[in-house]
Amino acid sequence: MNITNQTSIEYRSLKALRLHLAVFLLAGKIGRRADDVWKDLPWKKFQRQVFRLQRAIFKAQKNGQKAKVKRLQRLLLQSRAAQALAVKQVTQLNTGRKSPGVDGKTALSTRERLVLCQRLNKHWHHWKHQQLRRVNIPKPNGKTRGLGIPTIADRAWQALLKLAAEPAYEATAGERSYGFRPGRCTADAQRLISQNLNSQANGKNKLILETDISKCFDEIDHQVMLKKVVLPTEALRGLKIAIKAGVRGEYPSSIKGTPQGGVISPLLANIALDGFENLGNDQKVRTEYTHKSGKKSGQKYYRWSEGIRGIRYADDAVFICKPESDIQRLRKDIDKFLESSGLKINETKTKVSKATDGFDFLGWRFRVNSRGVFKSTPSSENYADIKAKVKATWRNGTTTKARLKRIESQVRGWRQYHKHCDMSKHALWSLRIWLWRKPSSRKTQDGSKGS
């Protein structure tokens, strides 16, 4: 068999792919040609195969066929296509792909990626998860958030488990949850808030309950979370070991929480909080309407509707309440739900406000004016962040061309995020004046002069 001529082979089946990779690995000749081997893998075919399995898992979970779900998940976890896609996701596509774990590796060579695919195929059902590396990142309030970074190999294994667990969760997930879910984004949450607070929905009379869960990722009870995860027994056993892997140099084992920084952590948090946004759905209110035309014009009629609508993005949520709703009862339901998962509400950040007073959510400021007109604008904190980011880029850049190119990318991304907002009072022209001032006349955020 001429190995040199096999780099551009068209794989017609996973059996041929398995044989081809085995030949290269056993022969030890994955060197300069490894890039061609990795590049020529049928990635689109892999995606189709994994999607078909995920769709079957989704349908089986919808129909309550638990045994079939586990059987299909095992097929997906054993699939070479899913394993290759998991490795590609964490080594080439993810934003934090260069973050090192405890082994210090920031990237894998093409040969190492292929070896990792083989390792996942042999050991996915009894994976030995390593400890995490602690990285602290600053929070807007001046404090720091601790991330637990797994190794690249552990992240690939987590990505593989996520491919199998996510469709089972999506089959029963709440429709008003938008964080870290496929096909959903912050703009969907913004649209739903607009629909519930516009003039047709009589938004000016509604109340808003803003909630904040205290240390959500750090305090989730492991037993409660694992009971809600749908995975085969061997994969669930490995997941339990993974979430209990401690941080090197701090503690040997984790008792509660899911470490921020793992690939599967957002999915686990969503699973643990599933149903939180549906609290208060049992509260129905009777609304009075008047016929505006026809034979019954001027006559009144009544309809029962939801008194409370919750909207959740990961661990952040707001509840839009009609005036007749019982908010105190909703608070008790929230406390009871969180207590069952080992969590509690952050009292300092949880508050009730009028829609006419406005509230912040996901970087936006939502407000209904006295005439009932709904407006969405960038929040003051978000507006200050983009200005500070542009100023920092201008100060710390190299050449003028490089700085302008980076600033252009930042401003374009910020404008794209707020494209459905009223931006009339949030232009960045003040930065234009600041940029063209002399360095000695510029003022920093604390009011002092500087470059």
Side-chain angles (χ1 to χ4, degrees):
M1 179 178 180
N2 188 356
I3 296 178
T4 307
N5 296 333
Q6 297 298 319
T7 56
S8 59
I9 186 172
E10 180 181 358
Y11 301 102
R12 299 186 182 277
S13 66
L14 285 178
K15 185 176 180 181
L17 167 63
R18 192 181 300 115
L19 177 62
H20 186 67
L21 289 178
V23 169
F24 270 78
L25 289 168
L26 294 175
K29 294 187 179 182
I30 299 181
R32 181 179 57 82
R33 296 185 297 277
D35 292 336
D36 297 330
V37 175
W38 185 259
K39 182 181 177 182
D40 290 341
L41 291 178
W43 295 109
K44 290 186 178 180
K45 184 177 181 179
F46 287 175
Q47 290 172 349
R48 289 195 299 269
Q49 291 172 338
V50 170
F51 179 74
R52 281 200 296 268
L53 280 172
Q54 288 181 319
R55 184 174 56 187
I57 292 170
F58 180 91
K59 289 182 178 180
Q61 182 69 12
K62 272 281 190 184
N63 297 329
Q65 300 170 313
K66 296 181 179 180
K68 186 176 181 180
V69 169
K70 301 288 180 68
R71 187 168 66 252
L72 290 169
Q73 285 179 325
R74 285 192 180 91
L75 284 176
L76 192 146
L77 292 168
Q78 295 168 359
S79 167
R80 293 274 182 170
Q83 293 157 7
L85 287 174
V87 172
K88 184 178 182 179
Q89 183 69 38
V90 300
T91 58
Q92 293 181 282
L93 302 179
N94 283 356
T95 306
R97 58 186 177 275
K98 294 185 179 180
S99 301
V102 292
D103 59 357
K105 288 187 176 181
T106 58
L108 297 182
S109 65
T110 311
R111 185 182 187 281
E112 289 173 328
R113 291 178 206 151
L114 293 170
V115 172
L116 181 55
C117 288
Q118 291 292 97
R119 185 181 166 194
L120 284 174
N121 184 258
K122 291 182 178 179
H123 306 294
W124 69 265
H125 52 286
H126 51 81
W127 189 265
K128 294 182 179 180
H129 202 284
Q130 293 183 269
Q131 286 190 311
L132 311 174
R133 185 177 73 90
R134 174 67 74 206
V135 175
N136 293 313
I137 60 173
K139 295 173 68 176
N141 58 7
K143 298 180 180 180
T144 58
R145 176 185 285 114
L147 303 182
I149 309 298
T151 63
I152 294 178
D154 289 337
R155 295 204 294 267
W157 178 78
Q158 288 185 17
L160 180 62
L161 257 62
K162 184 182 176 184
L163 290 174
E166 194 168 53
Y169 162 70
E170 287 293 328
T172 57
E175 61 179 9
R176 295 198 295 268
S177 169
Y178 297 98
F180 305 108
R181 293 181 61 185
R184 292 172 176 242
C185 63
T186 54
D188 297 321
Q190 183 188 31
R191 186 184 305 111
L192 185 58
I193 292 174
S194 173
Q195 291 172 356
N196 283 274
L197 291 180
N198 58 26
S199 57
Q200 294 179 350
N202 199 20
K204 68 178 182 179
N205 294 326
K206 293 185 178 179
L207 300 174
I208 309 298
L209 173 61
E210 304 173 58
T211 63
D212 183 80
I213 302 173
S214 180
K215 299 180 180 178
C216 176
F217 282 85
D218 300 330
E219 300 292 335
I220 297 176
D221 186 84
H222 284 174
Q223 296 298 327
V224 175
M225 180 172 60
L226 289 173
K227 285 180 181 178
K228 296 181 179 180
V229 178
V230 180
L231 276 174
T233 305
E234 54 270 35
L236 204 58
R237 190 186 307 119
L239 181 61
K240 182 178 180 180
I241 295 173
I243 62 177
K244 288 187 176 296
V247 177
R248 176 169 290 185
E250 293 187 16
Y251 47 87
S253 179
S254 175
I255 302 174
K256 55 186 178 180
T258 173
Q260 297 185 61
V263 176
I264 202 171
S265 296
L267 175 61
L268 294 179
N270 266 337
I271 292 173
L273 294 175
D274 186 40
F276 181 74
E277 67 281 356
N278 296 326
L279 296 175
N281 281 4
D282 57 335
Q283 294 194 35
K284 304 294 182 181
V285 296
R286 193 175 74 159
T287 307
E288 181 182 296
Y289 297 92
T290 304
H291 290 284
K292 296 182 179 180
S293 60
K295 295 180 179 180
K296 296 183 179 181
S297 179
Q299 296 182 14
K300 295 180 180 180
Y301 65 99
Y302 301 91
R303 283 183 181 175
W304 290 93
S305 59
E306 289 183 352
I308 298 173
R309 280 199 172 181
I311 300 167
R312 181 172 67 87
Y313 190 94
D315 58 337
D316 294 326
V318 294
F319 291 87
I320 302 174
C321 311
K322 292 183 178 179
E324 303 87 350
S325 303
D326 188 350
I327 297 181
Q328 293 301 323
R329 178 182 161 193
L330 174 62
R331 276 300 312 268
K332 291 180 182 179
D333 292 341
I334 290 174
D335 292 337
K336 184 178 180 181
F337 178 92
L338 294 178
E339 187 180 357
S340 65
S341 300
L343 301 170
K344 61 182 180 180
I345 209 75
N346 187 342
E347 297 291 347
T348 59
K349 294 183 179 180
T350 300
K351 59 183 180 180
V352 179
S353 58
K354 296 180 180 179
T356 51
D357 295 334
F359 64 97
D360 292 346
F361 187 58
L362 301 178
W364 291 304
R365 179 73 177 176
F366 300 102
R367 183 175 176 272
V368 181
N369 64 21
S370 58
R371 294 177 295 142
V373 178
F374 171 80
K375 276 192 177 183
S376 172
T377 59
S379 66
S380 56
E381 184 179 328
N382 184 276
Y383 189 46
D385 285 345
I386 184 62
K387 291 196 290 186
K389 189 180 294 185
V390 169
K391 289 180 179 181
T393 302
W394 186 256
R395 289 193 190 101
N396 302 329
T398 51
T399 64
T400 302
K401 185 177 180 180
R403 285 183 286 180
L404 288 175
K405 186 176 180 180
R406 189 171 180 185
I407 289 174
E408 181 186 4
S409 175
Q410 291 172 344
V411 173
R412 189 190 301 115
W414 182 75
R415 296 284 302 190
Q416 178 68 17
Y417 184 79
H418 298 292
K419 65 181 179 180
H420 299 299
C421 291
D422 179 7
M423 303 293 287
S424 58
K425 295 182 180 180
H426 290 79
L428 298 175
W429 286 106
S430 59
L431 284 178
R432 177 177 175 270
I433 299 172
W434 181 88
L435 290 174
W436 288 107
R437 284 178 182 169
K438 292 182 179 179
S440 59
S441 64
R442 293 177 188 154
K443 289 185 178 181
T444 57
Q445 287 183 327
D446 58 2
S448 60
K449 292 184 178 182
S451 58

